[in-house]
Amino acid sequence: SQQGEEDPQALSIQEGENATMNCSYKTSINNLQWYRQNSGRGLVHLILIRSNEREKHSGRLRVTLDTSKKSSSLLITASRAADTASYFCATDPRTQGGSEKLVFGKGTKLTVNP
Amino acid sequence: AAGVIQSPRHLIKEKRETATLKCYPIPRHDTVYWYQQGPGQDPQFLISFYEKMQSDKGSIPDRFSAQQFSDYHSELNMSSLELGDSALYFCASSLDLRLAGELFFGEGSRLTVL
């Protein structure tokens, strides 16, 4: 079953604006990660937030995690045309004996217009 | 820095044929994952290997098999190909996901089944 659900599915903004993407998940997790994917290319890791963390920053990226609501958000500030890509959240489900995989959400397709 | 290498990048096959995809993980990474991504879809976990042993299995069809060799490279074998197998196949590697680290993805192999 799908672990992560993201919204919005698509987001179109102007350069310089902020972009916020949300992710919800179903099971307990060890950590949550965000990945970026340019069309037809491989996924690139952006940021990892552990289950005992509430907020994390990396450059223009800000990630929050609310384990009580099983949700996370990714904020990209001062967006640029080069930020145009699909963004996926991925969870590391907490399973007996340790988890072995990341489960990806459906992704948000972000378009930043120059 | 060395990245995950996948080959071939593009592959065209007929229905009922067989295909083999190869993955060379980042040196010293001991865990390899295979994901399948259909058009406009999120990556779906297929199978993973840790220290050359299968560590987890996802939605991998019985027609597919995979293994990790002594040099840590991995191969995904797909037989009796169907039209629905057309997708991007990603390999990723990590230094043991149980340490809650990021995955490093290759650029993917695009399989087209005609």
Side-chain angles (χ1 to χ4, degrees):
Chain A
S1 61
Q2 184 60 48
Q3 167 75 325
E5 296 290 337
E6 292 172 69
D7 79 274
Q9 289 189 338
L11 180 61
S12 181
I13 60 174
Q14 296 298 124
E15 243 182 349
E17 293 180 336
N18 296 341
T20 299
M21 289 161 271
N22 303 296
C23 166
S24 61
Y25 56 91
K26 298 175 182 175
T27 67
S28 297
I29 60 172
N30 293 307
N31 68 68
L32 185 144
Q33 305 181 36
W34 285 89
Y35 286 79
R36 167 198 166 119
Q37 184 181 34
N38 286 0
S39 181
R41 304 292 299 275
L43 292 99
V44 176
H45 179 264
L46 295 176
I47 196 166
L48 180 154
I49 186 165
R50 301 190 191 282
S51 60
N52 61 353
E53 297 177 310
R54 292 296 167 258
E55 188 171 312
K56 202 161 183 181
H57 297 253
S58 177
R60 294 183 296 111
L61 305 180
R62 173 178 168 248
V63 169
T64 62
L65 179 65
D66 187 335
T67 52
S68 67
K69 294 180 180 178
K70 291 186 168 59
S71 67
S72 173
S73 67
L74 170 68
L75 168 67
I76 303 175
T77 60
S79 64
R80 306 166 182 167
D83 294 329
T84 294
S86 290
Y87 292 83
F88 293 89
C89 71
T91 52
D92 173 15
R94 186 171 295 162
T95 59
Q96 191 173 16
S99 63
E100 302 290 345
K101 61 181 180 284
L102 286 184
V103 179
F104 285 84
K106 292 199 175 298
T108 293
K109 188 170 184 178
L110 173 66
T111 302
V112 182
N113 301 299
Chain B
V4 176
I5 307 296
Q6 290 188 246
S7 68
R9 292 294 312 278
H10 300 274
L11 192 59
I12 299 175
K13 290 287 185 178
E14 300 277 341
K15 280 195 306 183
R16 292 180 288 279
E17 285 191 319
T18 298
T20 297
L21 307 181
K22 295 186 179 182
C23 169
Y24 296 85
I26 292 172
R28 292 184 296 280
H29 280 194
D30 51 21
T31 307
V32 167
Y33 311 81
W34 286 96
Y35 283 83
Q36 177 192 58
Q37 186 178 31
Q41 302 296 311
D42 54 293
Q44 292 290 317
F45 173 74
L46 294 177
I47 195 167
S48 63
F49 294 88
Y50 169 67
E51 282 292 343
K52 293 158 281 183
M53 298 287 290
Q54 181 183 308
S55 55
D56 202 354
K57 199 169 180 179
S59 50
I60 183 169
D62 292 339
R63 300 177 289 108
F64 292 10
S65 65
Q67 57 181 323
Q68 187 178 31
F69 295 86
S70 58
D71 64 352
Y72 291 94
H73 95 272
S74 178
E75 295 185 3
L76 177 66
N77 299 294
M78 300 174 283
S79 62
S80 302
L81 287 170
E82 302 174 356
L83 295 178
D85 296 329
S86 295
L88 263 173
Y89 290 83
F90 288 105
C91 172
S93 71
S94 75
L95 271 172
D96 192 353
L97 184 62
R98 286 169 291 186
L99 298 178
E102 67 182 271
L103 299 190
F104 294 81
F105 281 82
E107 287 295 324
S109 293
R110 182 177 294 279
L111 171 67
T112 302
V113 182
L114 302 176

